[in-house]
Every structure is written in C-alpha cells, then in structure tokens.
C-alpha cells in the first residue's frame, strides 16, 4: 500500500526520474486510439461455460459502428469457431448486458442519451429480440436475474408513476409481466432474497430513511431501522438461509463496515469487517458454496479482505501470473469453475482472460487497447496535501513522460458526482492529455466518497465554497512545488466537474488560462427545477446537502456561476447533450447567451443525439479534437 510522504519528500519523488521511463518524450499517438471503443471487450460467460459473449463495434446497414453483442463457443478456457453477432443496434452503443442462463442475453439501451433505459432479451441461438419494457419515457432496470428460474427475471420501472419504481416478474421469452411489489410512493430501493422474493426495501422522506422487512411476500412490510440520511444502513444481500441481512452500515462510526442484522434484534449489529481507514465498497460471495468470499475497499489503490480460502487461493495464483497489474474477477459460470479476469494498471486498460479453475489455465481473450504501448503511457501517482482549513486531501497526479516536471502546463480535472471519487488506474483522458504534454491533477475534494462520513458531510452547503477551495488549494500546492506553470493552468470537468470548472473561472478568475465545461451545472436554482421525476423523492435531501432555493437563496445566488458571468474572462469551451436528463441543456445555454451578450467569445458544442456525456464514437472524437485544439491554443504545452 502506498505510504504517504511529507511534502518535501513527495516533491523530491515527483521531480525525480520515473523508473523505466523513456529518456525522451514518446510520440503523440492518434486521438482516436485513446477514445475509440475496444475491438473486443465486455466479456461475459454463459451459466454453463459453453459460450462466451463480448461486445465489438460493428456497422449495421451503413450506419456508424456501434457496440453490439457477439457470442462464441468455448472449449475449456479457449474460444473456438467463428463469433456470431446477435444484436444489430445502429443508433447507440449497447449500454450493458448480462447472461440469463445459457440461451438468453439481457441488454439495456436508451434513446439519444435520455437515460430512459429499456431492458431487452435476445435469444443467442436465433437472434430473436424481445423488448421487455416497451414503454415511452420509462426508465427500467434489472432488479434480480432469478438465476434459478429459467423463464423470468425481476425488473423495476416507473411506468405507473414516473417518480417511483415498482417491481415486476417478466417472462424473458414473451415479455409477459406481473407486478410483484407496488411502490407506496416512498421506496427508493428494493432487496430480494436468494429465492428472488422481494423481502426488504429502503424508504425515504428525503431526510430520513427506513429499512423495511418482511418474512415472506404475503406479509406486509414492517419498519426495522430508521436513521437520518447521513447514516447509512444499506442491505447488500440476505444471509444464505434467507433469515438475516448482510448490510453496509456506518451506524455509530465514521466509515461503512460490513455487518449482519437479525430482524428480531435490528439494533444489535454483528460486526464482520470494518476497514476503518476507508468506507467498505462492496462484498463478493459464492452462490454455489453459500459463503462470503471477499470485501473490497479503496485507499489510494484497491484493497481486499478475504473471508474464504478458496477464492483467496485463486487471487493468489492470478497475482503470481499477473505481476505488475491490478486485476478483478468480472463474472463466472454457475459452477464457479471459470472466471473472466480483467488485468490493468495505471498505464494500460490491460487485457481480459478466462481462468479455468480445474485445469489452472489462464487464456488471454483480448488486449483492450493494443494501439497504446504501456511503456509510453504516464504513471499515475497518488498525492496528498492539506486544505486551507486543515483537511487532508487525496488525489492523483499524471505527468507527461520524458519531460522534466517543472513549470508544466497543468489541467485540473475535478470529478463529477460530486458524491463520487477519482480512483487509481487507467484513465483515457488523463493519458491523452499527458501524451500531449499536459500534467493532469485529479482531486478527491471534500464530499468525495470512500473517505468516511465526516469527509462527506464537510461538503454540505459548500458547492462553490470550501469544495472549490479544495481544488484551488491543490492548484496552489502544485505551483508551490514548482511543477505547475502558474500562467498555464487549465480546468476541465463534466457534470459536477463542469460546475467546478465554471465556479473556478468565475470565483478565481485569475487562476485559470483556459476552461472546458462538459455537461456542467451552472445555476443551482434552475438545476434543481429540472431534475428527472424519479429524483423528486430525494429533493429534500438535495436541498439539505446543496441548498434550499428559498431558505438558502443568498448562498445559492452567490455560488451559481451563471448569475456572475460578468466575472468570467477565461477562454471557455462548453459541450452539452441536448437530451441530458440530469443537467438540462438550459444550464449551458444561459452561460453561453450571457457571455455572448457581453461580447465574450465562447465555443459551444451541442449534440442532439446525446445526453449526460457523449457516448457515440463520432461525437467523442469531435469533442476531444476540439478540446485538444482549445487547450493547445491557450496553454501551449
């Protein structure tokens, strides 16, 4: 695990040569090599292990290539025969997919980025597709794939009421649907037991959450645990006898831990594992052997706590063969005798493999991006610094290879969310910018998740204030180290990162020489008025965490960049999807209109067939080409 160093030692480490780095700067690789879809990726195993599925870009009927699903036979761990294409999507890449047994694949698609996902089923033998949720303006998702029921799955969707999600048992061959749980209006999450019965739910009035439980589907739900929203008690799965719950909880502590809850004594949590230094992220389990296997959490890099010797032995064997790489198991057969293995590090998205447990063989399926040599990409270094009010802040610094780390042009890249985090690993944007000669600074400012409750709560009411100061302090820290050229600092972010970009050039107008706002919030009043209907049950919580438009009017006014565009003098480029359901296009329009009315030129890219971020390759390429040209022009790497 990375051990944090003092500032002086860290500076010395950053300024020293990177082991194994080429003496000269690598060549500039084509932009499309960083951002195009992989030739083969997103591998999944059928339940019986006889087939493997993957996605690859393919042109259908002369349309631009889109990620579609292929299947291929598997002998042991080795794909054999020709892959067969089983979907023919032309408008957008398929969003995600899973096997249902060994004859059907379920996949999700939306329309122009509106995030109203449909769930579709495709027969892998004859390619017949059934839309299981053929409803207009409805958002659907899989609640439980019902592994023991070959005919049905559980889907939640909001057709009955746009604000809430009910649960339906749906036949994957015919689309026939029966509602099995109706939302009373306040349920924000459902939990099934191992038999696929809806047995627990989380309700919210916005500020308080209650865990509901029932012994079987014939019984009414009863409240087990009520907390305010700042306290999490989140069920992740039932115990294997279906009588108790495993949950992630931070009741009475700062970090999320794994606990067991007995419905007969809901306040007596049994502690199973508390990482203490970070929030627990998730748990793995063996369905076949009915045991918990591993818990995962993240400090600077991914960490694991094993509960099971069998799975630990598999990780140890894989670790011996994949030295120099992080890896994760991304799916398995029903018998748990074959696994998909993803190996990666900070300089490559890596490779995908099938691991056959019985024969102890690891067979490579594909390199995700062979066009970019790992040796020419830039190491990602965990960093730490102090905020002006004494918080310890963590982040990542990616510096261009083969250049002395002094006086560099830097692009600050605040993450979206904002209640999310940046992680160590391969990041195509950071590698692309580093390949063009820019340093990239990613900061887990206050409110970023994974660092415990106090750190998260420190962001409440602090959009444009202390959260922004954390980003500013990171820039000043890099300047004080001599790494950053204070005259060549850019800022680029999407969603909340777009807000932080606009706030940066509005409230610290002398700090940045160029800015790119990608689907960013600009006006905290209009933003909260245009959220999707299914966010409405959580609006009181948003008001508490961000600000109430009436009670906190002065603060929201003071921290909405769109209301202070007269302060903006930094060259600005804005990109926006017309169908964005989260950050309405009006968020970008009002900034552009106000700046142009002042005679300030602002570049503006709108894509009619995109939503919250660009997904189609041709739109991604156009955006990154424009961004590169813009930053090169203003920051001169």
């Amino acid at each position: 695990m990375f051990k944090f160093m003092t500032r002086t030692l860290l500076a010395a480490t950053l300024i020293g040569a990177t082991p194994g780095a080429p003496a000269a700067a690598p060549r500039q690789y084509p932009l499309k090599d960083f951002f195009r879809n992989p030739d083969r990726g997103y591998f999944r195993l059928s339940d019986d292990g006889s087939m493997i599925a993957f996605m690859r870009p393919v042109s259908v009927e002369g349309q631009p290539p889109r990620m579609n699903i292929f299947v291929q036979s598997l002998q042991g761990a080795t794909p054999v025969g020709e892959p067969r294409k089983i979907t023919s999507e032309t408008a957008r890449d398929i969003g995600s997919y899973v096997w249902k047994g060994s004859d059907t694949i379920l996949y999700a698609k939306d329309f122009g980025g509106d995030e109203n996902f449909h769930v579709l089923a495709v027969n892998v033998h004859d390619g017949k597709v059934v839309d299981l949720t053929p409803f207009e303006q409805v958002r659907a998702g899989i609640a439980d794939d019902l592994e023991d029921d070959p005919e049905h799955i559980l889907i939640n969707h909001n057709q009955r009421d746009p604000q809430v999600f009910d649960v339906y048992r749906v036949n994957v061959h015919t689309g026939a649907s029966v509602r099995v749980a109706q939302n009373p209006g306040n349920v924000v999450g459902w939990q099934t037991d191992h038999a696929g019965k809806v047995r627990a739910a989380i309700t919210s009035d916005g500020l308080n959450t209650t865990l509901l439980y029932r012994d079987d589907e014939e019984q009414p739900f009863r409240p087990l645990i009520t907390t305010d929203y700042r306290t999490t008690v989140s069920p992740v799965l039932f115990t294997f006898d279906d009588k108790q719950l495993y949950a992630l909880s931070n009741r009475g502590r700062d970090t999320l831990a794994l606990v067991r809850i007995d419905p007969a004594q809901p306040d007596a949590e049994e502690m199973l594992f508390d990482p203490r230094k970070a929030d627990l992220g998730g748990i793995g389990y063996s369905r076949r052997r009915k045991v918990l296997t591993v818990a995962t959490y993240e400090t600077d890099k991914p960490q694991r706590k094993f509960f099971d010797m069998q799975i630990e032995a598999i990780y140890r064997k894989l670790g011996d063969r994949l030295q120099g790489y992080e890896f994760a198991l991304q799916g398995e057969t029903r018998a748990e005798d074959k696994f998909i293995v993803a190996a990666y590090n900070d300089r490559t998205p890596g490779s995908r493999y099938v691991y056959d447990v019985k024969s102890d063989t690891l067979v490579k399926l594909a390199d995700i991006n062979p066009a970019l040599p790992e040796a020419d990409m830039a190491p990602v270094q965990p960093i730490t610094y102090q905020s002006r009010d004494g918080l310890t802040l963590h982040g990542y610094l990616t510096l261009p290879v083969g250049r002395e780390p002094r006086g560099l042009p830097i692009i600050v890249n605040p993450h979206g969310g904002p209640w999310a985090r940046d992680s160590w690993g391969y990041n195509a944007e950071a590698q692309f910018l580093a390949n063009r000669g820019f340093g990239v600074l990613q900061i887990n400012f206050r409110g970023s998740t994974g660092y415990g409750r106090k750190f998260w709560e420190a962001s409440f009411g602090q959009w444009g204030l202390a959260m922004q100061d954390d980003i500013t302090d990171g820039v000043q820290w890099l300047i004080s180290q001599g790494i950053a050229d204070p005259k060549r600092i850019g800022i680029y972010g999407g969603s909340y990162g777009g807000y932080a970009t606009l706030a940066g050039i509005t409230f610290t107008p002398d700090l940045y020489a160029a800015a790119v706002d990608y689907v960013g919030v600009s006006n905290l009043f209009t933003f909260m008025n245009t959220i999707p209907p299914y966010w409405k049950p959580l609006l009181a919580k948003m008001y508490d965490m961000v600000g109430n438009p009436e009670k906190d009017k002065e603060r929201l006014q003071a921290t909405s960049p769109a209301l202070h565009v007269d302060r903006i003098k930094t060259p600005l480029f804005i990109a926006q999807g017309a169908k964005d359901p989260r950050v309405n296009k009006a968020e970008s329009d009002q900034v552009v209109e106000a700046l142009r009315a002042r005679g300030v030129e602002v570049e503006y890219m709108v894509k009619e067939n995109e939503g919250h971020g660009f997904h189609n390759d041709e739109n991604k390429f156009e955006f990154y080409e424009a961004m590169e040209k813009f930053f090169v022009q203003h920051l001169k790497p």
Side-chain angles (χ1 to χ4, degrees):
M1 191 178 69
F2 181 89
K3 192 163 182 236
F4 288 122
M5 306 169 188
T6 65
R7 282 194 185 190
T8 317
L9 184 53
L10 179 60
T13 305
L14 291 173
I15 289 165
T18 306
R27 73 180 181 90
Q28 286 197 359
Y29 288 91
L31 176 146
K32 290 180 181 180
D33 286 350
F34 288 90
F35 298 113
R36 64 184 169 85
N37 282 318
D39 292 334
R40 291 190 184 201
Y42 310 98
F43 292 90
R44 305 280 184 270
L45 289 162
S46 65
D47 272 15
D48 63 7
S50 68
M51 277 192 282
I52 194 161
F54 59 88
M55 290 208 287
R56 71 187 305 179
V58 62
S59 175
V60 177
E61 297 170 357
Q63 297 296 311
R66 303 291 179 228
M67 292 299 270
N68 273 286
I69 301 170
F70 288 70
V71 293
Q72 190 171 9
S73 295
L74 207 58
Q75 279 183 5
T78 305
V80 293
E82 281 299 306
R84 288 186 295 111
K85 180 172 73 70
I86 60 166
T87 62
S88 297
E89 294 295 333
T90 59
R92 287 172 76 71
D93 294 338
I94 286 173
S96 59
Y97 77 96
V98 293
W99 280 90
K100 166 65 177 169
S102 300
D103 301 306
T104 304
I105 283 175
L106 308 167
Y107 70 95
K109 71 177 216 178
D110 75 345
F111 303 86
D114 63 2
E115 297 185 18
N116 288 319
F117 289 98
H118 287 204
V119 178
L120 299 95
V122 56
N123 183 298
V124 302
H125 304 295
D126 62 19
K128 182 189 171 195
V129 175
V130 180
D131 188 343
L132 303 180
T133 54
F135 317 118
E136 293 284 318
Q137 300 300 308
V138 168
R139 180 182 172 97
I142 298 171
D144 191 323
D145 65 358
L146 299 182
E147 199 169 356
D148 295 323
D149 180 343
E151 305 290 318
H152 299 91
I153 59 169
L154 297 184
I155 288 178
N156 50 41
H157 63 67
N158 61 344
Q159 186 203 15
R160 185 184 60 82
D161 179 344
Q163 294 194 20
V164 297
F165 293 81
D166 303 321
V167 184
Y168 298 81
R169 181 174 283 106
V170 182
N171 186 299
V172 296
H173 307 301
T174 67
S177 172
V178 177
R179 188 166 61 226
V180 295
Q182 179 166 320
N183 198 319
N186 61 351
V187 171
V188 294
W190 301 97
Q191 183 71 45
T192 55
D193 64 14
H194 293 281
K197 306 295 185 188
V198 181
R199 297 264 314 282
I202 297 278
T203 67
S204 174
D205 65 7
L207 296 179
N208 297 288
T209 58
T210 299
L211 172 60
L212 304 180
Y213 174 85
R214 60 185 177 185
D215 296 314
D216 57 59
E217 284 189 322
E218 279 62 58
Q219 302 287 321
F221 282 106
R222 64 180 191 269
L224 275 194
I225 298 163
T226 297
T227 63
D228 67 29
Y229 75 87
R230 297 169 183 235
T231 301
T232 298
V233 182
S234 178
V236 284
L237 74 153
F238 275 75
T239 53
F240 297 100
D241 60 6
D242 280 334
K243 291 181 177 170
Q244 299 182 3
L245 288 161
Y246 294 115
L248 300 185
S249 167
N250 62 5
R251 273 196 292 181
R253 72 186 75 82
D254 188 50
T255 50
L256 284 173
L258 176 62
V259 301
R260 183 159 44 211
I261 295 171
D262 181 347
Q265 298 175 290
D267 289 328
E269 293 181 345
E270 181 188 351
M271 174 63 68
L272 300 177
F273 175 60
D274 182 1
R276 298 197 175 172
K277 61 188 86 166
D279 288 318
L280 194 63
I283 57 172
Y285 65 99
S286 165
R287 197 172 186 281
R288 185 176 66 83
R289 293 184 291 116
K290 297 182 166 38
V291 292
L292 295 181
T293 55
V294 64
T296 58
Y297 59 101
E298 197 171 355
T299 52
D300 289 325
K301 293 186 179 180
Q303 309 290 339
R304 297 186 187 96
K305 158 74 175 174
F306 291 103
F307 304 116
D308 172 63
M309 288 173 65
Q310 278 193 40
I311 207 77
E312 186 174 8
I314 288 173
Y315 273 88
R316 198 165 50 244
K317 285 178 181 176
L318 291 171
D320 289 342
R321 296 183 202 183
L322 298 169
Q323 290 186 23
Y325 298 91
E326 294 288 331
F327 62 90
L329 302 183
Q330 290 189 327
E332 68 277 337
T333 55
R334 189 176 170 96
E336 298 173 12
D337 57 356
K338 296 177 191 174
F339 293 87
I340 299 287
V341 181
Y344 67 94
N345 62 26
D346 53 340
R347 291 170 296 141
T348 176
S351 307
R352 303 296 178 265
Y353 303 84
V354 173
Y355 177 62
D356 187 312
V357 177
K358 289 175 187 165
S359 61
D360 189 27
T361 52
L362 187 67
V363 174
K364 185 187 279 193
L365 296 167
D367 294 317
I368 296 302
N369 195 346
L372 299 175
E374 184 180 334
D376 282 354
M377 297 297 106
V380 178
Q381 304 187 53
I383 59 160
T384 181
Y385 63 94
Q386 298 297 309
S387 71
R388 64 188 69 182
D389 60 352
L391 271 185
T392 298
L393 299 170
H394 302 267
Y396 301 93
L397 184 61
T398 307
L399 297 178
V401 173
R403 295 170 195 244
E404 190 188 355
R406 286 200 173 278
L408 292 171
I410 297 288
I411 293 170
V412 185
N413 180 212
H415 63 70
W419 301 294
R421 65 163 288 168
D422 279 318
S423 296
W424 185 89
Y426 179 81
N427 180 303
E429 290 182 334
Q431 292 297 338
F432 170 66
L433 292 169
N435 184 250
R436 296 310 192 252
F438 300 101
V440 180
L441 176 65
Q442 297 167 285
I443 296 165
N444 285 324
F445 44 80
R446 71 191 66 204
S448 300
T449 50
Y451 294 95
R453 186 199 329 213
K454 289 195 199 95
F455 191 79
W456 173 60
E457 288 181 357
S459 69
F460 293 1
Q462 295 300 314
W463 285 42
L465 299 169
M467 292 168 79
Q468 197 68 32
D469 291 343
D470 291 347
I471 296 167
T472 304
D473 292 349
V475 175
Q476 298 294 3
W477 172 78
L478 263 193
I479 292 170
S480 73
Q481 300 289 340
I483 296 166
D485 178 347
K487 293 188 169 60
R488 293 190 295 161
I489 310 275
I491 184 168
Y492 154 62
S495 197
Y496 175 84
Y499 168 83
T501 295
L502 294 173
I505 61 173
T506 304
F507 307 126
T508 50
D510 297 319
L511 192 58
Y512 299 106
V516 177
D517 157 31
Y518 185 45
V519 299
V521 174
S522 72
N523 181 327
L524 296 175
F525 297 99
T526 55
F527 164 61
M528 286 196 265
N529 282 337
T530 55
I531 58 173
Y534 45 84
W535 284 14
K536 292 275 167 53
L538 301 172
L539 200 53
K541 178 174 158 183
M542 284 284 284
Y543 284 176
D544 202 52
M545 294 168 74
V546 181
N548 184 308
E550 292 175 14
K551 192 162 62 81
D552 303 308
K553 184 178 178 182
E554 282 184 25
R555 173 164 56 78
L556 295 182
Q557 204 152 8
T559 53
S560 291
L563 306 181
H564 305 280
V565 289
D566 56 310
R567 300 186 197 175
I568 295 176
K569 58 185 184 182
T570 306
L572 176 62
F573 167 38
I574 294 179
Q576 176 70 48
K579 293 188 177 177
D580 192 334
R582 301 171 183 231
V583 177
N584 193 281
K585 180 172 172 280
E587 292 297 304
S588 294
D589 287 347
Q590 58 191 295
V591 174
V592 172
E593 285 161 18
L595 283 171
R596 287 180 177 168
R598 273 180 55 216
V600 176
E601 188 46 47
V602 52
E603 286 187 41
Y604 191 26
M605 178 182 290
V606 178
K607 291 298 173 189
E608 296 298 327
N609 62 343
E610 296 283 10
H612 197 59
F614 298 171
H615 292 276
N616 285 349
D617 263 4
E618 66 274 17
N619 295 332
K620 285 190 296 184
F621 297 156
E622 190 181 337
F623 168 66
Y624 288 119
E625 281 166 10
M627 182 169 87
E628 178 187 8
K629 185 179 169 192
F630 181 82
F631 276 136
V632 167
Q633 177 189 344
H634 295 290
L635 302 183
K636 299 180 174 49

